Amino acid sequence: MTHLIIYAHPSEDSFSRQLVDRIKQCSEPLNTVIVRDLYAMDFNAVLKKEELNNLKKGIIAEDVDKEQAFVEDADLISVVYPLWWASFPAILKGYIDRVFSYGFAYRSGKNGMEGLLTGRAVVMHTSMGNSVSEDDQDNLLPNLTAIHGHEVFGFCDMDLMQHFFYPEIISATELEKEAFIENTVAYYKELFISERN
Ligand SMILES: Cc1cc2nc3c(=O)[nH]c(=O)nc-3n(C[C@H](O)[C@H](O)[C@H](O)COP(=O)(O)O)c2cc1C
């Protein structure tokens, strides 16, 4: 498989970084792994007027074209990011705005909008400051999966396989973080075994 990891965190010492490194490490012996580190790339996250107009003429910006090729080639996409104001960090939101563009990721069909990225599996990873019990009160986690997952990746006809939440990361001990990571790595190992059979 080709495994694309889309990663959005500015800090080298973040939990998200640890997670990406370990996902990469467990995937590499079995898959072609490509990590797109949006901060390291200094990805231009603002979709502006000219680009939006160009899109209507079928003109794709060079940096977007490059990212779309990675998405196109991917069988599995892992998305790793911290929860910022109940949303994606702006750089990731902008990546989605620009890369999952009309005509590439979705289009208007006979029966309304149709996704064009059929067949790609997606696993999402969201680290959080809040506890699950705090957010459960508002049923927040299923809503986040609906909005961040199904409304984005599902909308493009990708298959959202799993959405991991990592609560209370700010106050978690190294042992607690390691337990989260081991659970995630075990999930990927199972996934890779089932893909091979
Ligand atoms: C700008 C900003 C906004 C945040 N908003 C939220 C939030 O809405 N909900 C939440 O649970 N945590 C929020 N946090 C906390 C982060 O999610 C938390 O610091 C991060 O997940 C910890 O993992 P990391 O080490 O990968 O950064 C926010 C943090 C920042 C910097």
Side-chain angles (χ1 to χ4, degrees):
M1 285 200 301
T2 298
H3 183 184
L4 172 65
I5 304 176
I6 302 166
Y7 167 58
H9 200 297
S11 307
E12 284 296 314
D13 61 354
S14 65
F15 170 76
S16 301
R17 173 91 245 174
Q18 271 179 272
L19 192 59
V20 162
D21 288 346
R22 293 285 289 281
I23 294 170
K24 183 169 176 258
Q25 192 186 61
C26 85
S27 186
E28 263 173 350
L30 299 164
N31 305 303
T32 303
V33 182
I34 292 151
V35 180
R36 302 308 285 157
D37 179 341
L38 303 186
Y39 281 97
M41 289 155 54
D42 198 18
F43 184 78
N44 168 16
V46 184
L47 174 57
K48 290 192 177 161
K49 181 173 160 182
E50 191 190 350
E51 187 172 351
L52 205 52
N53 288 337
N54 279 342
L55 260 181
K56 290 176 196 154
K57 300 177 209 152
I59 302 167
I60 308 292
E62 209 175 303
D63 60 341
V64 168
D65 194 45
K66 187 174 171 188
E67 296 313 310
Q68 288 181 343
F70 286 122
V71 173
E72 201 148 63
D73 287 348
D75 303 294
L76 169 65
I77 301 176
S78 296
V79 188
V80 182
Y81 63 100
L83 189 66
W84 283 4
W85 293 111
S87 189
F88 300 115
I91 202 166
L92 176 56
K93 175 59 168 56
Y95 169 95
I96 294 165
D97 290 343
R98 296 189 63 226
V99 175
F100 292 173
S101 60
Y102 184 87
F104 171 73
Y106 67 99
R107 70 173 171 216
S108 176
K110 266 189 251 146
N111 304 312
M113 287 298 174
E114 56 189 35
L116 298 175
L117 297 174
T118 310
R120 288 159 187 84
V122 176
V123 180
M124 299 183 69
H125 303 270
T126 309
S127 67
M128 301 163 56
N130 290 349
S131 66
V132 165
S133 58
E134 272 171 285
D135 283 347
D136 267 356
Q137 290 162 12
D138 301 321
N139 212 25
L140 194 66
L141 301 191
N143 289 327
L144 290 177
T145 298
I147 295 167
H148 296 195
H150 296 298
E151 283 299 315
V152 176
F153 302 97
F155 182 79
C156 302
D157 206 27
M158 292 186 250
D159 183 10
L160 180 62
M161 316 252 315
Q162 184 71 259
H163 190 170
F164 287 97
F165 290 99
Y166 306 93
E168 293 183 281
I169 288 302
I170 298 168
S171 57
T173 63
E174 285 310 310
L175 221 57
E176 286 164 338
K177 288 183 196 173
E178 183 57 28
F180 278 134
I181 290 171
E182 276 176 16
N183 181 52
T184 297
V185 166
Y187 168 83
Y188 276 100
K189 284 185 176 164
E190 279 292 312
L191 184 69
F192 298 149
I193 290 167
S194 67
E195 285 293 327
R196 296 183 114 191
N197 296 330

